Amino acid sequence: MSKRGKPPHDLPGYKRIGFARSVAELVPRVGRKSFRKFGFVESAIVARWAEIVGQEVSRRSTPDSIRFPQGKRSGGTLNLSVHGAHALALQHEAPIIIERVNRYFGYAAVTRMAIRQGEPVPARPVSRRRDTAQPVSSAVKDELKVVRDDDLRNALESLASQIGSTKGPPKIG
């Protein structure tokens, strides 16, 4: 409220500068400073850990931080927290994990991986897709008969049945 008791948008010459934003749009900006303080260049690496390294590795580990040499944004060390029983297995998978993290960043951000044996990794819900595929119509099967490779034909039939079972446009998450 202004001194005259009117809201500012009712005052003559007042222009609104900003616009309403969703909370989801603001959260990455708010969290960025905190994540950088703890060594993360992007907060998305924590949120997308399962996508980056795969379900199996993400169930056994959580990223703690990425530490870079002073003044650089490459050649860092990825610090993982792993339950003791899985540490040795993840040590053997280190080159694969480093390669996947670097593929996510798009450059050689990580060159080493340090494993810290800690408390068990909290269980994450595993999404299990229900097979809701519809049977493929005979017209589609007739069109796919020209495909000579059995594996390719089966894959195309499976794709057609999955597409046929969806409603509306595809949701890309």
Side-chain angles (χ1 to χ4, degrees):
M1 292 260 185
S2 69
K3 291 180 183 177
R4 290 189 250 164
K6 292 183 178 181
H9 60 275
D10 289 345
L11 296 174
Y14 176 79
K15 283 186 174 180
R16 186 174 185 145
I17 298 171
F19 55 91
R21 295 183 178 160
S22 68
V23 174
E25 185 181 336
L26 297 174
V27 168
R29 291 182 184 169
V30 172
R32 185 174 296 132
K33 188 172 185 177
S34 298
F35 277 107
R36 284 193 177 173
K37 180 179 177 184
F38 293 106
F40 283 105
V41 176
E42 288 190 34
S43 59
I45 194 170
V46 176
R48 296 178 142 195
W49 185 242
E51 291 175 43
I52 295 169
V53 297
Q55 289 291 333
E56 188 62 33
V57 173
S58 73
R59 272 186 248 138
R60 299 181 286 162
S61 65
T62 52
D64 286 336
S65 64
I66 299 176
R67 301 284 179 204
F68 294 105
Q70 192 167 359
K72 295 185 179 180
R73 284 288 174 220
S74 62
T77 301
L78 172 65
N79 296 303
L80 294 181
S81 180
V82 179
H83 182 50
H86 299 288
L88 185 60
L90 282 179
Q91 186 176 357
H92 289 292
E93 295 177 29
I96 297 167
I97 295 170
I98 290 171
E99 188 268 328
R100 288 178 180 173
V101 170
N102 287 338
R103 188 180 329 141
Y104 171 76
F105 280 112
Y107 68 98
V110 175
T111 56
R112 293 184 54 233
M113 189 173 87
I115 297 174
R116 181 180 64 86
Q117 293 178 337
E119 296 182 21
V121 178
R124 294 187 183 122
V126 178
S127 63
R128 299 194 185 248
R129 288 183 51 188
R130 290 181 285 145
D131 192 16
T132 58
Q134 301 293 323
V136 179
S137 68
S138 59
V140 172
K141 284 187 178 184
D142 290 340
E143 287 183 32
L144 291 176
K145 283 184 181 178
V146 297
V147 178
R148 292 182 181 159
D149 185 9
D150 291 334
D151 292 334
L152 178 59
R153 187 179 334 101
N154 291 337
L156 290 171
E157 282 182 16
S158 174
L159 177 64
S161 67
Q162 291 293 328
I163 290 172
S165 66
T166 60
K167 295 176 182 161
K171 293 179 182 173
I172 301 172

